[in-house]
Amino acid sequence: MAIAYPHVIRSEKATVEASMMVSTPPPSRPPVFLSQDELKKIAAYKAVDFVESGMVLGLGTGSTAKHAVDRIGELLKQGKLKNIIGIPTSKMTHEQALSLGIPLSDLDTYPVVDLAIDGADEVDPYMNLVKGRGGSLLREKMIEGACKKFVVIVDESKLVKHLGGSGLAMPVEIVPFCWKFTAEKLKLLFGDAGCVAKLRTFKENGEPFVTDNRNYIIDLYFKKDIGDLKAASDAILRLTGVVEHGMFLDMATTVIVAGELGVTLKNK
Protein backbone atom coordinates (compact mmCIF):
# COMPACT_ATOMS: atom_id res chain seq x y z
CA MET A 1 0.00 0.00 0.00
CA ALA A 2 1.16 3.56 -0.62
CA ILE A 3 0.38 6.65 1.41
CA ALA A 4 -0.88 9.96 0.10
CA TYR A 5 -0.34 12.60 2.72
CA PRO A 6 -3.28 14.88 3.56
CA HIS A 7 -1.80 17.95 1.90
CA VAL A 8 -1.65 16.06 -1.40
CA ILE A 9 -4.94 14.16 -1.54
CA ARG A 10 -8.00 14.51 0.66
CA SER A 11 -11.23 12.60 0.48
CA GLU A 12 -14.42 14.48 -0.45
CA LYS A 13 -15.89 13.69 2.98
CA ALA A 14 -12.87 15.09 4.79
CA THR A 15 -13.09 18.31 2.75
CA VAL A 16 -16.78 18.77 3.61
CA GLU A 17 -16.15 18.13 7.29
CA ALA A 18 -13.31 20.64 7.33
CA SER A 19 -15.50 23.34 5.79
CA MET A 20 -18.09 22.90 8.57
CA MET A 21 -15.59 23.52 11.40
CA VAL A 22 -15.45 27.30 11.38
CA SER A 23 -14.55 28.13 14.98
CA THR A 24 -12.74 24.94 15.96
CA PRO A 25 -9.40 24.07 14.33
CA PRO A 26 -9.68 20.76 12.46
CA PRO A 27 -8.00 17.84 14.20
CA SER A 28 -4.94 16.34 12.58
CA ARG A 29 -5.90 13.56 10.19
CA PRO A 30 -4.02 10.34 9.60
CA PRO A 31 -2.55 9.64 6.16
CA VAL A 32 -4.93 8.28 3.53
CA PHE A 33 -3.84 4.87 2.29
CA LEU A 34 -4.15 4.33 -1.47
CA SER A 35 -4.04 1.05 -3.37
CA GLN A 36 -1.80 0.52 -6.38
CA ASP A 37 -4.83 0.79 -8.65
CA GLU A 38 -5.80 4.14 -7.09
CA LEU A 39 -2.29 5.43 -7.74
CA LYS A 40 -2.57 4.29 -11.35
CA LYS A 41 -5.84 6.19 -11.69
CA ILE A 42 -4.29 9.38 -10.32
CA ALA A 43 -1.44 9.17 -12.84
CA ALA A 44 -3.84 8.36 -15.68
CA TYR A 45 -6.07 11.36 -14.96
CA LYS A 46 -3.02 13.61 -14.87
CA ALA A 47 -1.98 12.32 -18.29
CA VAL A 48 -5.39 13.12 -19.76
CA ASP A 49 -4.73 16.76 -18.88
CA PHE A 50 -2.44 16.74 -21.94
CA VAL A 51 -5.37 15.86 -24.24
CA GLU A 52 -6.93 18.66 -26.29
CA SER A 53 -9.94 18.74 -28.59
CA GLY A 54 -9.17 17.83 -32.19
CA MET A 55 -6.32 15.45 -31.33
CA VAL A 56 -5.55 12.05 -32.80
CA LEU A 57 -4.78 9.88 -29.77
CA GLY A 58 -2.96 6.60 -29.30
CA LEU A 59 -4.98 4.66 -26.73
CA GLY A 60 -2.84 2.36 -24.61
CA THR A 61 -3.50 -1.10 -23.23
CA GLY A 62 -3.43 -2.42 -19.68
CA SER A 63 -4.76 -1.64 -16.23
CA THR A 64 -3.24 1.85 -16.05
CA ALA A 65 -4.11 2.92 -19.59
CA LYS A 66 -7.68 1.71 -19.04
CA HIS A 67 -8.21 4.53 -16.53
CA ALA A 68 -7.01 7.08 -19.09
CA VAL A 69 -9.32 5.75 -21.80
CA ASP A 70 -12.24 5.80 -19.35
CA ARG A 71 -11.45 9.42 -18.52
CA ILE A 72 -11.26 10.44 -22.18
CA GLY A 73 -14.64 8.83 -22.78
CA GLU A 74 -16.07 10.66 -19.77
CA LEU A 75 -14.79 14.06 -20.96
CA LEU A 76 -16.19 13.43 -24.45
CA LYS A 77 -19.57 12.62 -22.98
CA GLN A 78 -19.47 15.82 -20.91
CA GLY A 79 -18.58 17.87 -23.98
CA LYS A 80 -15.25 18.98 -22.48
CA LEU A 81 -13.41 17.23 -25.32
CA LYS A 82 -14.53 17.28 -28.95
CA ASN A 83 -13.42 15.88 -32.31
CA ILE A 84 -11.14 13.25 -30.79
CA ILE A 85 -9.93 10.33 -32.91
CA GLY A 86 -8.57 7.32 -31.04
CA ILE A 87 -6.20 4.68 -32.40
CA PRO A 88 -6.29 1.67 -30.05
CA THR A 89 -3.20 -0.45 -29.36
CA SER A 90 -5.12 -3.71 -28.86
CA LYS A 91 -8.43 -5.42 -29.52
CA MET A 92 -9.22 -5.03 -25.82
CA THR A 93 -8.75 -1.26 -25.94
CA HIS A 94 -10.69 -1.14 -29.21
CA GLU A 95 -13.71 -2.71 -27.49
CA GLN A 96 -13.36 -0.44 -24.45
CA ALA A 97 -13.19 2.71 -26.59
CA LEU A 98 -16.19 1.67 -28.66
CA SER A 99 -18.23 1.12 -25.49
CA LEU A 100 -17.35 4.68 -24.38
CA GLY A 101 -18.31 6.28 -27.70
CA ILE A 102 -14.74 7.28 -28.65
CA PRO A 103 -14.44 7.59 -32.47
CA LEU A 104 -11.73 5.24 -33.76
CA SER A 105 -9.42 4.97 -36.74
CA ASP A 106 -5.98 3.55 -37.61
CA LEU A 107 -2.46 4.48 -38.72
CA ASP A 108 -3.31 3.96 -42.37
CA THR A 109 -5.73 6.90 -42.13
CA TYR A 110 -3.76 8.93 -39.55
CA PRO A 111 -0.04 8.13 -39.93
CA VAL A 112 0.91 10.91 -37.49
CA VAL A 113 -0.52 10.70 -33.96
CA ASP A 114 -0.65 13.82 -31.79
CA LEU A 115 -0.42 12.11 -28.43
CA ALA A 116 -0.30 8.59 -27.02
CA ILE A 117 -1.01 7.65 -23.41
CA ASP A 118 0.01 4.26 -22.05
CA GLY A 119 1.39 2.49 -19.02
CA ALA A 120 4.72 0.69 -18.66
CA ASP A 121 6.02 -2.34 -16.82
CA GLU A 122 9.40 -0.79 -16.06
CA VAL A 123 10.91 2.70 -16.35
CA ASP A 124 14.64 3.28 -15.96
CA PRO A 125 16.30 6.61 -14.97
CA TYR A 126 16.67 7.55 -18.66
CA MET A 127 12.95 7.02 -19.39
CA ASN A 128 13.55 3.80 -21.30
CA LEU A 129 10.69 1.36 -20.84
CA VAL A 130 9.76 -2.29 -20.74
CA LYS A 131 6.24 -2.85 -22.05
CA GLY A 132 4.24 -5.80 -23.26
CA ARG A 133 3.52 -7.91 -20.21
CA GLY A 134 -0.10 -7.50 -21.28
CA GLY A 135 0.78 -8.91 -24.70
CA SER A 136 0.20 -5.86 -26.93
CA LEU A 137 3.77 -4.70 -27.46
CA LEU A 138 3.83 -4.77 -31.28
CA ARG A 139 0.78 -2.57 -31.83
CA GLU A 140 1.83 -0.35 -28.92
CA LYS A 141 5.25 0.23 -30.46
CA MET A 142 3.82 0.92 -33.92
CA ILE A 143 1.36 3.51 -32.66
CA GLU A 144 3.53 5.08 -29.96
CA GLY A 145 6.42 5.27 -32.39
CA ALA A 146 4.25 7.37 -34.71
CA CYS A 147 3.21 9.96 -32.11
CA LYS A 148 4.49 13.47 -31.54
CA LYS A 149 4.23 13.08 -27.76
CA PHE A 150 4.19 9.86 -25.74
CA VAL A 151 3.03 10.20 -22.14
CA VAL A 152 3.76 7.22 -19.90
CA ILE A 153 1.77 6.68 -16.71
CA VAL A 154 3.02 4.48 -13.86
CA ASP A 155 2.98 4.06 -10.12
CA GLU A 156 6.33 4.22 -8.39
CA SER A 157 6.66 0.42 -8.14
CA LYS A 158 7.54 0.42 -11.87
CA LEU A 159 10.73 2.46 -11.42
CA VAL A 160 13.93 0.40 -11.82
CA LYS A 161 17.66 1.11 -11.89
CA HIS A 162 18.01 -0.73 -15.20
CA LEU A 163 15.65 -2.51 -17.58
CA GLY A 164 15.05 -6.05 -16.41
CA GLY A 165 15.82 -4.91 -12.87
CA SER A 166 12.40 -5.90 -11.52
CA GLY A 167 13.16 -9.56 -12.17
CA LEU A 168 9.92 -9.76 -14.15
CA ALA A 169 9.44 -10.51 -17.83
CA MET A 170 10.90 -8.63 -20.78
CA PRO A 171 8.63 -9.90 -23.58
CA VAL A 172 9.61 -10.74 -27.13
CA GLU A 173 6.94 -11.40 -29.74
CA ILE A 174 7.87 -14.23 -32.10
CA VAL A 175 6.24 -16.25 -34.89
CA PRO A 176 4.86 -19.59 -33.67
CA PHE A 177 6.87 -21.63 -36.21
CA CYS A 178 9.71 -23.45 -34.41
CA TRP A 179 9.27 -21.28 -31.33
CA LYS A 180 11.59 -23.46 -29.23
CA PHE A 181 14.41 -22.79 -31.68
CA THR A 182 13.84 -19.03 -31.42
CA ALA A 183 13.55 -19.15 -27.62
CA GLU A 184 16.90 -20.93 -27.37
CA LYS A 185 18.52 -18.31 -29.61
CA LEU A 186 17.15 -15.55 -27.37
CA LYS A 187 18.45 -17.28 -24.27
CA LEU A 188 21.94 -17.67 -25.74
CA LEU A 189 22.05 -13.97 -26.68
CA PHE A 190 21.98 -13.03 -22.99
CA GLY A 191 23.78 -15.95 -21.42
CA ASP A 192 26.10 -13.58 -19.54
CA ALA A 193 23.07 -12.00 -17.87
CA GLY A 194 21.76 -15.37 -16.65
CA CYS A 195 18.83 -15.20 -19.05
CA VAL A 196 15.90 -17.59 -18.76
CA ALA A 197 13.50 -17.74 -21.75
CA LYS A 198 9.95 -19.01 -21.23
CA LEU A 199 7.02 -19.37 -23.58
CA ARG A 200 4.08 -17.40 -22.21
CA THR A 201 1.16 -19.74 -21.56
CA PHE A 202 -2.26 -19.65 -19.95
CA LYS A 203 -2.17 -20.94 -16.37
CA GLU A 204 -5.56 -22.61 -16.77
CA ASN A 205 -4.65 -25.03 -19.55
CA GLY A 206 -0.98 -24.53 -20.40
CA GLU A 207 -1.84 -23.43 -23.95
CA PRO A 208 0.39 -20.74 -25.52
CA PHE A 209 -0.70 -17.14 -25.15
CA VAL A 210 -1.52 -15.79 -28.63
CA THR A 211 -1.21 -12.07 -29.37
CA ASP A 212 -3.69 -9.99 -31.38
CA ASN A 213 -1.31 -10.61 -34.31
CA ARG A 214 -1.52 -14.42 -33.85
CA ASN A 215 2.04 -14.66 -32.57
CA TYR A 216 3.62 -16.15 -29.44
CA ILE A 217 5.51 -14.34 -26.68
CA ILE A 218 8.78 -15.45 -25.15
CA ASP A 219 9.33 -13.86 -21.74
CA LEU A 220 12.99 -13.19 -20.90
CA TYR A 221 14.13 -13.02 -17.27
CA PHE A 222 17.54 -11.57 -16.39
CA LYS A 223 19.66 -12.08 -13.30
CA LYS A 224 22.06 -9.28 -14.29
CA ASP A 225 22.04 -6.00 -16.18
CA ILE A 226 22.04 -6.69 -19.94
CA GLY A 227 24.21 -3.62 -20.61
CA ASP A 228 23.94 -1.59 -23.82
CA LEU A 229 20.21 -1.50 -24.54
CA LYS A 230 20.50 -0.43 -28.16
CA ALA A 231 22.96 -3.24 -28.85
CA ALA A 232 20.60 -5.67 -27.13
CA SER A 233 17.68 -4.36 -29.19
CA ASP A 234 19.55 -4.77 -32.45
CA ALA A 235 20.70 -8.28 -31.55
CA ILE A 236 17.15 -9.42 -30.73
CA LEU A 237 15.67 -7.97 -33.91
CA ARG A 238 18.34 -9.62 -36.07
CA LEU A 239 17.11 -13.08 -35.03
CA THR A 240 14.93 -14.65 -37.70
CA GLY A 241 11.57 -15.48 -36.17
CA VAL A 242 11.49 -12.44 -33.89
CA VAL A 243 8.74 -9.92 -34.63
CA GLU A 244 9.37 -7.26 -31.94
CA HIS A 245 10.60 -6.86 -28.37
CA GLY A 246 9.29 -5.00 -25.34
CA MET A 247 12.11 -2.49 -24.86
CA PHE A 248 10.81 0.97 -25.76
CA LEU A 249 14.00 3.01 -26.03
CA ASP A 250 14.08 6.82 -26.34
CA MET A 251 10.34 6.92 -27.03
CA ALA A 252 8.72 8.42 -23.93
CA THR A 253 8.54 12.22 -23.86
CA THR A 254 6.88 12.49 -20.43
CA VAL A 255 6.66 10.03 -17.55
CA ILE A 256 4.01 10.60 -14.88
CA VAL A 257 4.65 8.76 -11.61
CA ALA A 258 2.08 8.47 -8.82
CA GLY A 259 3.60 7.72 -5.44
CA GLU A 260 3.46 8.28 -1.71
CA LEU A 261 3.90 12.05 -1.91
CA GLY A 262 1.68 12.67 -4.92
CA VAL A 263 2.34 12.89 -8.65
CA THR A 264 5.66 13.76 -10.25
CA LEU A 265 6.38 14.51 -13.92
CA LYS A 266 9.60 13.84 -15.76
CA ASN A 267 10.05 15.31 -19.24
CA LYS A 268 12.51 14.41 -21.96
Side-chain angles (χ1 to χ4, degrees):
M1 302 292 285
I3 302 173
Y5 292 97
H7 68 279
V8 178
I9 300 170
R10 294 187 176 91
S11 69
E12 184 177 351
K13 181 179 179 182
T15 303
V16 172
E17 289 175 347
S19 67
M20 294 173 64
M21 290 187 261
V22 178
S23 58
T24 305
S28 60
R29 289 187 290 270
V32 178
F33 290 89
L34 296 178
S35 68
Q36 187 179 38
D37 190 63
E38 288 169 328
L39 289 175
K40 291 177 180 180
K41 189 172 184 178
I42 291 168
Y45 276 43
K46 184 66 177 177
V48 176
D49 288 345
F50 287 88
V51 178
E52 299 175 2
S53 293
M55 279 187 167
V56 177
L57 299 176
L59 305 177
T61 298
S63 58
T64 309
K66 182 180 183 299
H67 290 305
V69 177
D70 283 340
R71 180 61 172 164
I72 291 167
E74 179 184 348
L75 293 175
L76 277 171
K77 187 175 181 180
Q78 294 172 355
K80 295 179 180 178
L81 286 177
K82 297 179 180 179
N83 303 319
I84 292 295
I85 299 293
I87 302 181
T89 57
S90 67
K91 292 180 180 179
M92 182 184 298
T93 302
H94 184 276
E95 293 302 318
Q96 179 194 3
L98 282 180
S99 72
L100 296 169
I102 300 174
L104 299 179
S105 191
D106 54 35
L107 288 177
D108 291 335
T109 307
Y110 295 94
V112 178
V113 180
D114 294 304
L115 170 70
I117 299 174
D118 207 351
D121 301 308
E122 292 184 357
V123 182
D124 77 5
Y126 306 99
M127 295 171 59
N128 295 310
L129 318 171
V130 167
K131 291 177 49 57
R133 289 180 190 154
S136 302
L137 61 103
L138 175 59
R139 296 189 186 192
E140 288 173 341
K141 190 171 283 189
M142 289 178 68
I143 292 167
E144 289 152 11
C147 65
K148 298 176 183 177
K149 189 175 184 64
F150 178 24
V151 178
V152 178
I153 44 180
V154 295
D155 65 87
E156 61 185 358
S157 71
K158 302 302 192 298
L159 304 181
V160 295
K161 293 181 179 179
H162 59 83
L163 295 193
S166 69
L168 300 176
M170 197 285 280
V172 180
E173 186 162 342
I174 68 168
V175 297
F177 178 72
C178 295
W179 68 263
K180 292 181 182 179
F181 175 83
T182 308
E184 185 63 20
K185 291 289 187 182
L186 287 166
K187 177 183 174 182
L188 292 174
L189 269 183
F190 302 103
D192 292 343
C195 179
V196 175
K198 295 182 179 180
L199 177 69
R200 186 177 298 185
T201 59
F202 291 103
K203 293 181 180 179
E204 299 80 14
N205 55 21
E207 291 295 315
F209 174 89
V210 179
T211 71
D212 287 347
N213 318 296
R214 301 185 181 278
N215 293 318
Y216 287 175
I217 286 184
I218 299 296
D219 286 322
L220 304 183
Y221 300 86
F222 306 109
K223 294 181 181 178
K224 299 178 182 178
D225 189 342
I226 62 174
D228 188 325
L229 297 178
K230 290 186 177 180
S233 170
D234 291 343
I236 292 172
L237 293 175
R238 280 199 299 267
L239 289 179
T240 304
V242 167
V243 178
E244 189 53 84
H245 59 71
M247 290 187 291
F248 285 51
L249 309 180
D250 298 325
M251 291 179 62
T253 55
T254 299
V255 175
I256 299 175
V257 185
E260 291 183 349
L261 300 180
V263 174
T264 58
L265 276 72
K266 184 174 183 179
N267 293 304
K268 200 75 170 179

Short mmCIF file of all heavy atoms in Angstrom, two decimals, residues 227-263:
data_model
loop_
_atom_site.label_atom_id
_atom_site.label_comp_id
_atom_site.label_asym_id
_atom_site.label_seq_id
_atom_site.Cartn_x
_atom_site.Cartn_y
_atom_site.Cartn_z
N GLY A 227 23.25 -4.56 -20.04
CA GLY A 227 24.21 -3.62 -20.61
C GLY A 227 23.63 -2.69 -21.65
O GLY A 227 22.54 -2.12 -21.45
N ASP A 228 24.32 -2.53 -22.76
CA ASP A 228 23.94 -1.59 -23.82
C ASP A 228 22.58 -1.98 -24.39
O ASP A 228 22.43 -3.00 -25.08
CB ASP A 228 25.00 -1.62 -24.92
CG ASP A 228 24.79 -0.54 -25.98
OD1 ASP A 228 23.63 -0.23 -26.28
OD2 ASP A 228 25.79 -0.02 -26.50
N LEU A 229 21.57 -1.15 -24.14
CA LEU A 229 20.21 -1.50 -24.54
C LEU A 229 20.02 -1.46 -26.06
O LEU A 229 19.30 -2.30 -26.62
CB LEU A 229 19.22 -0.55 -23.87
CG LEU A 229 19.17 -0.61 -22.34
CD1 LEU A 229 18.17 0.42 -21.81
CD2 LEU A 229 18.78 -2.01 -21.87
N LYS A 230 20.65 -0.51 -26.71
CA LYS A 230 20.50 -0.43 -28.16
C LYS A 230 21.17 -1.62 -28.84
O LYS A 230 20.64 -2.17 -29.83
CB LYS A 230 21.07 0.89 -28.68
CG LYS A 230 20.23 2.09 -28.28
CD LYS A 230 20.70 3.39 -28.92
CE LYS A 230 19.80 4.55 -28.55
NZ LYS A 230 20.23 5.83 -29.15
N ALA A 231 22.30 -2.05 -28.30
CA ALA A 231 22.96 -3.24 -28.85
C ALA A 231 22.10 -4.48 -28.61
O ALA A 231 21.97 -5.34 -29.49
CB ALA A 231 24.33 -3.42 -28.20
N ALA A 232 21.48 -4.55 -27.44
CA ALA A 232 20.60 -5.67 -27.13
C ALA A 232 19.39 -5.67 -28.06
O ALA A 232 18.97 -6.72 -28.57
CB ALA A 232 20.15 -5.59 -25.67
N SER A 233 18.83 -4.49 -28.28
CA SER A 233 17.68 -4.36 -29.19
C SER A 233 18.02 -4.84 -30.59
O SER A 233 17.28 -5.64 -31.19
CB SER A 233 17.23 -2.90 -29.24
OG SER A 233 16.29 -2.69 -30.27
N ASP A 234 19.14 -4.38 -31.10
CA ASP A 234 19.55 -4.77 -32.45
C ASP A 234 19.78 -6.28 -32.55
O ASP A 234 19.40 -6.91 -33.55
CB ASP A 234 20.83 -4.03 -32.85
CG ASP A 234 20.61 -2.54 -33.05
OD1 ASP A 234 19.44 -2.13 -33.20
OD2 ASP A 234 21.59 -1.78 -33.05
N ALA A 235 20.40 -6.85 -31.53
CA ALA A 235 20.70 -8.28 -31.55
C ALA A 235 19.42 -9.12 -31.55
O ALA A 235 19.32 -10.12 -32.28
CB ALA A 235 21.56 -8.65 -30.34
N ILE A 236 18.43 -8.69 -30.76
CA ILE A 236 17.15 -9.42 -30.73
C ILE A 236 16.46 -9.35 -32.09
O ILE A 236 15.99 -10.35 -32.62
CB ILE A 236 16.24 -8.84 -29.63
CG1 ILE A 236 16.81 -9.13 -28.25
CG2 ILE A 236 14.83 -9.44 -29.74
CD1 ILE A 236 16.08 -8.44 -27.12
N LEU A 237 16.41 -8.16 -32.66
CA LEU A 237 15.67 -7.97 -33.91
C LEU A 237 16.35 -8.63 -35.09
O LEU A 237 15.70 -8.89 -36.12
CB LEU A 237 15.48 -6.47 -34.18
CG LEU A 237 14.58 -5.73 -33.18
CD1 LEU A 237 14.55 -4.24 -33.47
CD2 LEU A 237 13.16 -6.30 -33.20
N ARG A 238 17.63 -8.93 -34.98
CA ARG A 238 18.34 -9.62 -36.07
C ARG A 238 18.01 -11.12 -36.12
O ARG A 238 18.29 -11.77 -37.12
CB ARG A 238 19.85 -9.43 -35.93
CG ARG A 238 20.35 -8.08 -36.45
CD ARG A 238 21.85 -8.11 -36.72
NE ARG A 238 22.61 -8.40 -35.51
CZ ARG A 238 23.11 -7.47 -34.68
NH1 ARG A 238 22.90 -6.19 -34.95
NH2 ARG A 238 23.80 -7.81 -33.62
N LEU A 239 17.43 -11.66 -35.05
CA LEU A 239 17.11 -13.08 -35.03
C LEU A 239 15.90 -13.36 -35.91
O LEU A 239 14.83 -12.78 -35.71
CB LEU A 239 16.82 -13.54 -33.60
CG LEU A 239 17.99 -13.61 -32.63
CD1 LEU A 239 17.51 -14.06 -31.26
CD2 LEU A 239 19.06 -14.57 -33.15
N THR A 240 16.05 -14.25 -36.86
CA THR A 240 14.93 -14.65 -37.70
C THR A 240 13.88 -15.34 -36.83
O THR A 240 14.21 -16.22 -36.03
CB THR A 240 15.40 -15.60 -38.80
OG1 THR A 240 16.44 -14.98 -39.55
CG2 THR A 240 14.25 -15.97 -39.73
N GLY A 241 12.65 -14.94 -36.99
CA GLY A 241 11.57 -15.48 -36.17
C GLY A 241 11.08 -14.50 -35.13
O GLY A 241 9.97 -14.63 -34.61
N VAL A 242 11.90 -13.49 -34.83
CA VAL A 242 11.49 -12.44 -33.89
C VAL A 242 10.69 -11.38 -34.64
O VAL A 242 11.07 -10.93 -35.72
CB VAL A 242 12.72 -11.79 -33.21
CG1 VAL A 242 12.33 -10.50 -32.48
CG2 VAL A 242 13.35 -12.76 -32.23
N VAL A 243 9.57 -10.97 -34.04
CA VAL A 243 8.74 -9.92 -34.63
C VAL A 243 9.06 -8.57 -34.00
O VAL A 243 9.31 -7.59 -34.69
CB VAL A 243 7.24 -10.25 -34.44
CG1 VAL A 243 6.37 -9.13 -35.01
CG2 VAL A 243 6.90 -11.58 -35.09
N GLU A 244 9.09 -8.50 -32.67
CA GLU A 244 9.37 -7.26 -31.94
C GLU A 244 9.66 -7.59 -30.49
O GLU A 244 9.32 -8.68 -30.01
CB GLU A 244 8.18 -6.31 -32.06
CG GLU A 244 8.42 -4.89 -31.55
CD GLU A 244 9.64 -4.23 -32.14
OE1 GLU A 244 9.56 -3.67 -33.25
OE2 GLU A 244 10.70 -4.31 -31.47
N HIS A 245 10.31 -6.67 -29.79
CA HIS A 245 10.60 -6.86 -28.37
C HIS A 245 9.97 -5.74 -27.55
O HIS A 245 9.51 -4.73 -28.09
CB HIS A 245 12.10 -6.94 -28.10
CG HIS A 245 12.86 -5.71 -28.53
ND1 HIS A 245 12.75 -4.51 -27.86
CD2 HIS A 245 13.72 -5.51 -29.56
CE1 HIS A 245 13.52 -3.62 -28.45
NE2 HIS A 245 14.13 -4.18 -29.49
N GLY A 246 9.98 -5.92 -26.23
CA GLY A 246 9.29 -5.00 -25.34
C GLY A 246 10.13 -3.88 -24.77
O GLY A 246 9.68 -3.20 -23.83
N MET A 247 11.34 -3.66 -25.28
CA MET A 247 12.11 -2.49 -24.86
C MET A 247 11.71 -1.30 -25.72
O MET A 247 11.86 -1.33 -26.94
CB MET A 247 13.61 -2.77 -24.99
CG MET A 247 14.15 -3.77 -24.00
SD MET A 247 15.96 -3.93 -24.05
CE MET A 247 16.20 -4.72 -25.64
N PHE A 248 11.20 -0.26 -25.07
CA PHE A 248 10.81 0.97 -25.76
C PHE A 248 11.87 2.01 -25.41
O PHE A 248 11.82 2.64 -24.35
CB PHE A 248 9.43 1.42 -25.30
CG PHE A 248 8.29 0.61 -25.86
CD1 PHE A 248 8.28 -0.77 -25.79
CD2 PHE A 248 7.20 1.25 -26.46
CE1 PHE A 248 7.22 -1.51 -26.31
CE2 PHE A 248 6.13 0.52 -26.98
CZ PHE A 248 6.15 -0.87 -26.91
N LEU A 249 12.83 2.17 -26.31
CA LEU A 249 14.00 3.01 -26.03
C LEU A 249 13.84 4.39 -26.65
O LEU A 249 13.49 4.51 -27.83
CB LEU A 249 15.26 2.32 -26.57
CG LEU A 249 15.47 0.87 -26.16
CD1 LEU A 249 16.75 0.31 -26.77
CD2 LEU A 249 15.48 0.72 -24.64
N ASP A 250 14.12 5.43 -25.86
CA ASP A 250 14.08 6.82 -26.34
C ASP A 250 12.74 7.18 -26.98
O ASP A 250 12.68 7.96 -27.94
CB ASP A 250 15.21 7.07 -27.35
CG ASP A 250 16.58 6.89 -26.74
OD1 ASP A 250 16.75 7.23 -25.56
OD2 ASP A 250 17.48 6.39 -27.44
N MET A 251 11.65 6.64 -26.46
CA MET A 251 10.34 6.92 -27.03
C MET A 251 9.48 7.81 -26.15
O MET A 251 8.74 8.65 -26.64
CB MET A 251 9.60 5.60 -27.31
CG MET A 251 10.21 4.79 -28.45
SD MET A 251 9.34 3.22 -28.74
CE MET A 251 7.70 3.82 -29.21
N ALA A 252 9.56 7.64 -24.85
CA ALA A 252 8.72 8.42 -23.93
C ALA A 252 9.17 9.88 -23.90
O ALA A 252 10.37 10.17 -23.82
CB ALA A 252 8.79 7.83 -22.53
N THR A 253 8.22 10.80 -23.99
CA THR A 253 8.54 12.22 -23.86
C THR A 253 8.22 12.75 -22.47
O THR A 253 8.81 13.72 -22.01
CB THR A 253 7.79 13.04 -24.92
OG1 THR A 253 6.38 12.78 -24.81
CG2 THR A 253 8.25 12.67 -26.32
N THR A 254 7.25 12.13 -21.80
CA THR A 254 6.88 12.49 -20.43
C THR A 254 6.54 11.22 -19.67
O THR A 254 5.86 10.34 -20.20
CB THR A 254 5.65 13.44 -20.40
OG1 THR A 254 5.96 14.64 -21.11
CG2 THR A 254 5.26 13.78 -18.97
N VAL A 255 7.03 11.13 -18.44
CA VAL A 255 6.66 10.03 -17.55
C VAL A 255 5.97 10.63 -16.33
O VAL A 255 6.52 11.52 -15.67
CB VAL A 255 7.88 9.19 -17.12
CG1 VAL A 255 7.47 8.14 -16.09
CG2 VAL A 255 8.52 8.51 -18.32
N ILE A 256 4.77 10.16 -16.04
CA ILE A 256 4.01 10.60 -14.88
C ILE A 256 4.02 9.47 -13.86
O ILE A 256 3.59 8.36 -14.16
CB ILE A 256 2.57 10.96 -15.26
CG1 ILE A 256 2.56 12.12 -16.29
CG2 ILE A 256 1.76 11.34 -14.03
CD1 ILE A 256 1.19 12.46 -16.81
N VAL A 257 4.51 9.77 -12.65
CA VAL A 257 4.65 8.76 -11.61
C VAL A 257 3.79 9.14 -10.42
O VAL A 257 3.93 10.24 -9.85
CB VAL A 257 6.12 8.63 -11.15
CG1 VAL A 257 6.25 7.48 -10.14
CG2 VAL A 257 7.05 8.39 -12.34
N ALA A 258 2.88 8.26 -10.03
CA ALA A 258 2.08 8.47 -8.82
C ALA A 258 2.71 7.68 -7.69
O ALA A 258 3.00 6.49 -7.82
CB ALA A 258 0.65 8.00 -9.05
N GLY A 259 2.95 8.38 -6.57
CA GLY A 259 3.60 7.72 -5.44
C GLY A 259 3.12 8.26 -4.11
O GLY A 259 2.10 8.94 -4.02
N GLU A 260 3.86 7.95 -3.07
CA GLU A 260 3.46 8.28 -1.71
C GLU A 260 3.21 9.77 -1.50
O GLU A 260 2.31 10.16 -0.76
CB GLU A 260 4.53 7.81 -0.73
CG GLU A 260 4.64 6.29 -0.62
CD GLU A 260 5.65 5.88 0.42
OE1 GLU A 260 6.41 6.76 0.89
OE2 GLU A 260 5.69 4.69 0.77
N LEU A 261 4.00 10.61 -2.15
CA LEU A 261 3.90 12.05 -1.91
C LEU A 261 3.15 12.79 -3.01
O LEU A 261 3.21 14.01 -3.10
CB LEU A 261 5.30 12.64 -1.75
CG LEU A 261 6.12 12.06 -0.59
CD1 LEU A 261 7.49 12.71 -0.52
CD2 LEU A 261 5.37 12.25 0.74
N GLY A 262 2.44 12.04 -3.86
CA GLY A 262 1.68 12.67 -4.92
C GLY A 262 2.18 12.29 -6.28
O GLY A 262 2.74 11.20 -6.47
N VAL A 263 2.00 13.18 -7.24
CA VAL A 263 2.34 12.89 -8.65
C VAL A 263 3.55 13.71 -9.07
O VAL A 263 3.64 14.91 -8.78
CB VAL A 263 1.15 13.24 -9.57
CG1 VAL A 263 1.53 13.09 -11.03
CG2 VAL A 263 -0.04 12.35 -9.25
#
